[in-house]
Amino acid sequence: MEMKNSSVVTEFILLGIPHTEGLEVILFVLFLPFYAFTLLGNLSILVAVVSSTRLHTPMYFFLGNLSVFDMGFSSVTCPKMLLYLMGLSRLISYQDCVSQLFFFHFLGSIECFLYTVMAYDRFTAICYPLRYTIIMNPRICGALAAGTWLLGCIHSSVLTFLTFTLPYCGPNEVDHFFCDIPALLPLACADTSLVQRVSFINVGLVSLVCFLLILVSYTRITVSILSIRTTEGRRRAFSTCSAHLIAILCAYGPIITVYLQPTPNPMLGTVIQILMNLVGPMLNPLIYTLRNKEVKIALKKILHGMGHVPET
């Protein structure tokens, strides 16, 4: 009977951002530039990394991966949200809802894994500079990048499978601006306690393990930096790592707030997820380019080649 009931709901209605009735035009005008800057900024970094031979190093290889992630992550939810803010349909098919949830957690977990790999890269560069090119050779970098995508796929597949094996046979109004686990589970006409526990453990375990590995890496990095005798050497080392640390704080704050609360606050969760979907992916290009001389030089060369800036 449960399998029969699970096919009753063929589409969901996204109710959108709570308590914003009548503000759709204002929100559209506000959110559209964020999404556009996210795509433009991350695409610029990706083009700079690919086109500049000076940036063909492990650190920029992973930064290029992060740019691809940011564009994809923001595109999972923002286009649909912008469309219904324009007054178009809020309906989303069952299959599209499954896809949206899968890719949201797939790309979201990749962020955690990728930041962990980037922390290991900085740890190797600062703590073992003479062996850095041997340890972080192209084959290892490729394997680490592929590993982040594979682990993200496994993580998201488990959450998606558990969420959509539940029967949805009654109300279909999702009290959120996209399909996510906390918003979908109240619509299921079956016991959701197992899915809630597994989701909490799954997201919590991934976040905790990645955070601890990052913490260990940066503890070792800090010890190594403090042992550098020259002030200029310490300044350069801290400058290299500070952008990564800022990005990590921006990423882990929303994860803890939204998914690891014993009693989630829907309104707070919505605000945090808007920031995570719109602001976070837009900030990464600013964080990494404004504090990175090599990326800025590469972007200037690209713009000069296009005739947009004079050569200096």
Side-chain angles (χ1 to χ4, degrees), residues 300 304 309-312:
K300 285 180 180 178
H304 170 69
V309 296
E311 188 173 12
T312 57

Side-chain angles (χ1 to χ4, degrees), residues 18-35:
H19 313 299
T20 57
E21 292 79 6
L23 301 175
E24 288 81 3
V25 175
I26 296 174
L27 292 177
F28 176 81
V29 173
L30 177 65
F31 292 160
L32 181 60
F34 279 96
Y35 182 55

Side-chain angles (χ1 to χ4, degrees), residues 158-159 161-163 165-166 181 185 190-202:
V158 170
L159 295 178
F161 175 78
L162 288 173
T163 302
T165 50
L166 292 170
I181 297 170
L185 292 185
D191 182 22
T192 62
S193 57
L194 175 62
V195 179
Q196 288 176 320
R197 285 196 299 269
V198 172
S199 300
F200 184 87
I201 293 171
N202 198 337

